[in-house]
Amino acid sequence: MIHAESRAYFKALGARICQLRKARGFTQAELARAIRVSQQAVFAYELGERRVSVLVLAKIARVFSVSVEELVGIAPPTRAAKSRLSPRAIRNAERLQALSKTQQRFVVRIIDTLEQSGRRSASPPSC
């Protein structure tokens, strides 16, 4: 259990972890596997309900390619480079590579068609 004086810190840290995780396209389960903890632990970190050890902080920072200082909020965020592929995207790329060349071309044509149809029906984004 976290003492009241630490709760705000761990809530803010959890929010940063959640924000980075979503920005990088990770699920809680994928992040948990990458840092070798349970999905429930990641859930508790993000809520600020569980202390994040220094070792886990270092692992999370490495996974997201940020400094520990940035992760804990004592350094300003660095300009975000193009995010790397999520674990799911990597698995899908591996699955695509396992297909025959003909099947790969077919899948890419489907993706191209979906992108074109999305561009035609896309409305201006709202923020």
Side-chain angles (χ1 to χ4, degrees), residues 35-49:
I35 63 174
R36 298 179 185 238
V37 299
S38 68
Q39 185 270 329
Q40 291 81 4
V42 171
F43 178 74
Y45 296 152
E46 290 185 1
L47 289 178
E49 297 291 325

Side-chain angles (χ1 to χ4, degrees), residues 71-103:
L71 186 60
V72 298
I74 59 176
T78 55
R79 190 153 186 256
K82 180 132 173 79
S83 63
R84 67 183 187 94
L85 291 176
S86 70
R88 182 178 295 148
I90 292 170
R91 283 194 303 276
N92 285 334
E94 289 168 349
R95 291 172 60 202
L96 183 64
Q97 283 182 319
L99 298 174
S100 72
K101 295 295 179 192
T102 302
Q103 291 170 321

Side-chain angles (χ1 to χ4, degrees), residues 13-120:
L13 175 61
R16 280 192 292 279
I17 291 169
C18 182
Q19 180 184 26
L20 282 168
R21 177 180 61 78
K22 289 179 178 180
R24 302 301 199 278
F26 280 70
T27 64
Q28 286 181 340
E30 290 167 338
L31 176 58
R33 278 192 298 276
I35 63 174
R36 298 179 185 238
V37 299
S38 68
Q39 185 270 329
Q40 291 81 4
V42 171
F43 178 74
Y45 296 152
E46 290 185 1
L47 289 178
E49 297 291 325
R50 184 181 283 183
R51 291 181 186 270
V52 183
S53 74
V54 173
L55 294 174
V56 171
L57 277 175
K59 288 178 184 179
I60 293 170
R62 192 174 318 116
V63 166
F64 294 144
S65 302
V66 298
S67 69
V68 172
E69 292 84 0
E70 180 180 340
L71 186 60
V72 298
I74 59 176
T78 55
R79 190 153 186 256
K82 180 132 173 79
S83 63
R84 67 183 187 94
L85 291 176
S86 70
R88 182 178 295 148
I90 292 170
R91 283 194 303 276
N92 285 334
E94 289 168 349
R95 291 172 60 202
L96 183 64
Q97 283 182 319
L99 298 174
S100 72
K101 295 295 179 192
T102 302
Q103 291 170 321
Q104 287 178 19
R105 284 191 295 273
F106 180 72
V107 170
V108 169
R109 272 191 240 127
I110 291 171
I111 293 169
D112 290 344
T113 301
L114 289 170
E115 283 180 329
Q116 290 170 356
S117 125
R119 276 189 231 121
R120 283 190 296 253

